[in-house]
Amino acid sequence: MTDLTSLKYTAEHEWIALDGDIATVGITDFAADKLGDVVFVDLPPVGSPVLAGEVCGEIESTKSVGELYAPLTGEVVAVNEAVVDDPSLVNSSPFDDGWLLKIRVDAPASADLLDRQAYLGLTGAAR
Amino acid sequence: MPDPVDPVAPAPRASALAAVHKALGASFTDFGGWLMPVRYTSDLAEHHAVRRAAGLFDISHMAEFVVTGPDAAPFLDHALAGPLATLAVGRAKYTLLLNEGGGILDDLIVYRLAADRYLVIANAGNRTVVAEALEDRAQRWPIVATLAGGDRPAGGSFALVRGSRPVRVDDVSDSYALLALQGPRSSQILSAVRGLEATGADPAALSSYAWAEASFDGVPVLVLRTGYTGEDGYELLLPADRAAGLWAALQEAGEGLGLIPAGLAARDTLRLEAGMPLYGHELSADVRPDQVGLARVVGSGASGPPGFVGGDALARPRDAGAPVLVGLVSEGRRAARSGYPVRLGDSVVGNVTSGALSPTLGHPIAMAFVRPDLAAPGAALDLDVRGTRIPATVTALPFYRRKK
């Protein structure tokens, strides 16, 4: 089980786990709940460049379509094929088995990323 | 991810069951000015429960009107499309409220409660439009004159002694709650509800589009064998302050039979699979019934203009280029959504009104308005899904039909 306080977050409801220059990216439980049952994910191919703040994929639920924004600039080094095969992992395990992609980060993490407390404040769930 | 939270319109109304939904962990959405449950656990689980066992919906946001009076039957034949005067007491009919131009103001289900009394159920978002149209049409309905002394006096003049409006429209939406029990096990579950007693026909023996009176803990309940999911099922109308008791009794009766509470997200994918049009998507004031496969509702028109509001307009042929509603199926998992273009080559030939990955069928389905020359089943078109062309085939509606 991931320690959620160790993650960074974006205002667009992505989470980021940084390990050296590799960032693992997913969407939060809050976003997964709001989307409803995820039935399709479209992720960028391994090797493609992504730009912080730009759309790099799509997450579709039975009801709606969400865009996935790259939280950091770099190169995609892995995508979660298990999620492509079984998109419901985004709902059942958003912070673990439901991760979406790994980025080799070009530059240090942006100061725009939020910590857990700030992110919860944004979703109205702060304690 | 952009913020997936919908902005909430000012002060949406809460159902009488709001506390029940909250306790069940529902997510809410603004629906026609009401804060209603969109899901309790999972859209897919709720959808599958309705197809395989049963689901329980709160649809108290729907609007209800009672039309009463000696002229109720001829009045509704005038005010709504489709014959209501010939509807038998105890039966219901799907019909439309049209404007003078033949455009659809709302789709309705009308239940004949008595010779001189009808129940009209309308969409939440159209409550005001329906109320105003019915009231306006009732105001214009001719006043009946009653003659003094009965028959016209021989050889003399006669006096009108009393004039009264022979029809009256009451908006009773605020007084009632409406629950929907839908799915193949709904009859079995309804029969097991503690405190629900038939006072007329046995609800389990009702045919589709029939209704019966019952009582729940001493309060009258209308049991309507209608629904909006493509499954067998019931809708239960009762005083709003008794809704929580009936909800609990239904849940208890359905325990062990696979009944779960279901939200409006599941209701939307269910009705789409069943090819049922939704106001604001497939139906609007700019759409004629014959564009959306509802010509049967208004009759053929072959015997001259029918005498209902909008009938004259429908007796005239529609614009030859007017788009018509079709079903489209495609492969893969990527669904077109409302508003997406339908293409043939480089031309836009239509647009999607509703679309989803069908939970029951496992492939994307959509309803769309397309050019009438491309509407035949089997026609090959493209769906433009955010810039990606996805081949799709025109198919007859509904996408899903339950086994009888």
Side-chain angles (χ1 to χ4, degrees):
Chain A
M1 184 71 190
T2 303
D3 173 12
L4 302 186
T5 60
S6 72
L7 304 177
K8 296 290 187 186
Y9 299 85
T10 68
E12 286 78 36
H13 309 284
E14 285 93 19
W15 57 261
I16 303 101
L18 268 172
D19 181 9
D21 63 348
I22 301 295
T24 304
V25 178
I27 66 165
T28 65
D29 53 348
F30 177 83
D33 278 355
K34 289 293 174 193
L35 272 172
D37 290 311
V38 175
V39 292
F40 177 78
V41 294
D42 183 40
L43 300 172
V46 170
S48 59
V50 291
L51 270 173
E54 297 212 338
V55 173
C56 68
E58 290 175 344
I59 302 171
E60 293 197 29
S61 69
T62 48
K63 279 300 287 171
S64 56
V65 182
E67 288 174 318
L68 178 69
Y69 289 82
L72 297 161
T73 298
E75 181 190 333
V76 176
V77 293
V79 297
N80 188 351
E81 294 295 342
V83 159
V84 173
D85 292 343
D86 178 9
S88 73
L89 290 172
V90 173
N91 297 103
S92 60
S93 182
F95 294 106
D96 293 289
D97 297 342
W99 66 273
L100 297 174
L101 49 93
K102 292 180 191 288
I103 299 169
R104 179 175 292 117
V105 181
D106 284 352
S110 152
D112 294 342
L113 297 182
L114 308 169
D115 65 14
R116 180 76 183 161
Q117 199 59 33
Y119 176 70
L120 289 181
L122 198 73
T123 63
R127 302 276 186 285
Chain B
M1 296 284 302
D3 193 333
V5 185
D6 291 332
V8 175
R13 303 187 48 182
S15 144
L17 290 163
V20 174
H21 302 319
K22 207 171 253 185
L24 288 166
S27 307
F28 292 87
T29 189
D30 188 341
F31 198 92
W34 290 68
L35 202 57
M36 300 302 289
V38 64
R39 76 179 59 83
Y40 299 85
T41 52
S42 143
D43 299 339
L44 290 174
E46 293 164 21
H47 181 109
H48 291 314
V50 173
R51 289 275 180 258
R52 296 167 187 167
L56 181 58
F57 300 84
D58 179 10
I59 51 169
S60 297
H61 56 294
M62 304 291 285
E64 295 90 21
F65 301 89
V66 175
V67 180
T68 320
D71 273 11
F75 167 72
L76 287 178
D77 270 355
H78 161 75
L80 306 178
L84 285 315
T86 54
L87 186 66
V89 173
R91 302 286 308 172
K93 189 177 189 306
Y94 178 79
T95 188
L96 300 167
L97 176 74
L98 303 177
N99 61 25
E100 292 285 352
I104 299 170
L105 294 176
D106 200 12
D107 60 336
L108 311 161
I109 297 186
V110 179
Y111 304 79
R112 192 163 198 177
L113 302 180
D116 61 351
R117 196 169 165 82
Y118 291 80
L119 169 70
V120 176
I121 300 191
N123 284 298
N126 289 333
R127 177 178 171 180
T128 307
V129 166
V130 174
E132 287 176 357
L134 288 178
E135 188 56 36
D136 180 58
R137 291 170 196 186
Q139 291 288 352
R140 292 163 195 267
W141 189 252
I143 299 214
V144 164
T146 309
L147 300 183
D151 293 334
R152 173 193 284 227
S157 61
F158 61 93
L160 296 178
V161 296
R162 189 171 64 83
S164 66
R165 281 183 55 205
V167 62
R168 175 180 155 164
V169 179
D170 291 303
D171 182 343
V172 299
S173 308
D174 290 338
S175 310
Y176 290 94
L178 190 58
L179 310 184
L181 172 67
Q182 299 277 298
R185 291 189 189 152
S186 53
S187 176
Q188 190 186 351
I189 292 166
L190 194 75
S191 304
V193 173
R194 200 187 307 200
L196 186 71
E197 311 278 350
T199 54
D202 173 13
L206 284 175
S207 54
S208 178
Y209 276 75
W211 62 270
E213 282 178 305
S215 80
F216 175 69
D217 284 350
V219 177
V221 179
L222 280 185
V223 179
L224 319 167
R225 198 150 197 177
T226 46
Y228 193 58
T229 61
E231 294 302 325
D232 185 17
Y234 300 86
E235 293 170 311
L236 301 155
L237 186 77
L238 81 168
D241 59 352
R242 305 301 290 269
L246 181 57
W247 178 282
L250 282 160
Q251 278 215 289
E252 188 192 326
E255 221 172 293
L257 290 170
L259 175 72
I260 58 171
L264 294 176
R267 194 169 157 85
D268 194 45
T269 46
L270 289 159
R271 70 91 196 166
L272 174 57
E273 287 182 346
M276 293 171 167
L278 178 61
Y279 203 88
H281 288 256
E282 287 75 35
L283 309 181
S284 76
D286 301 324
V287 168
R288 284 167 52 130
D290 52 4
Q291 284 175 266
V292 288
L294 294 177
R296 62 182 159 76
V297 172
V298 295
S300 68
S303 54
F308 57 80
V309 177
D312 288 349
L314 294 183
R316 295 190 288 273
R318 70 166 184 263
D319 169 10
V324 293
L325 190 72
V326 297
L328 288 167
V329 294
S330 52
E331 294 184 355
R333 302 186 67 78
R334 212 169 201 205
R337 311 282 171 165
S338 179
Y340 288 12
V342 181
R343 293 179 178 277
L344 177 67
D346 290 334
S347 315
V348 173
V349 294
N351 71 293
V352 172
T353 53
S354 298
L357 175 64
S358 164
T360 305
L361 304 171
H363 60 73
I365 57 173
M367 288 199 266
F369 279 115
V370 301
R371 242 170 50 190
D373 56 313
L374 302 171
L381 300 170
D382 283 342
L383 290 164
D384 184 337
V385 178
R386 300 181 297 284
T388 303
R389 298 285 188 90
I390 294 185
T393 306
V394 174
T395 184
L397 294 169
F399 301 104
Y400 163 87
R401 199 188 294 273
R402 76 182 154 103
K403 293 181 186 70
K404 302 262 178 181

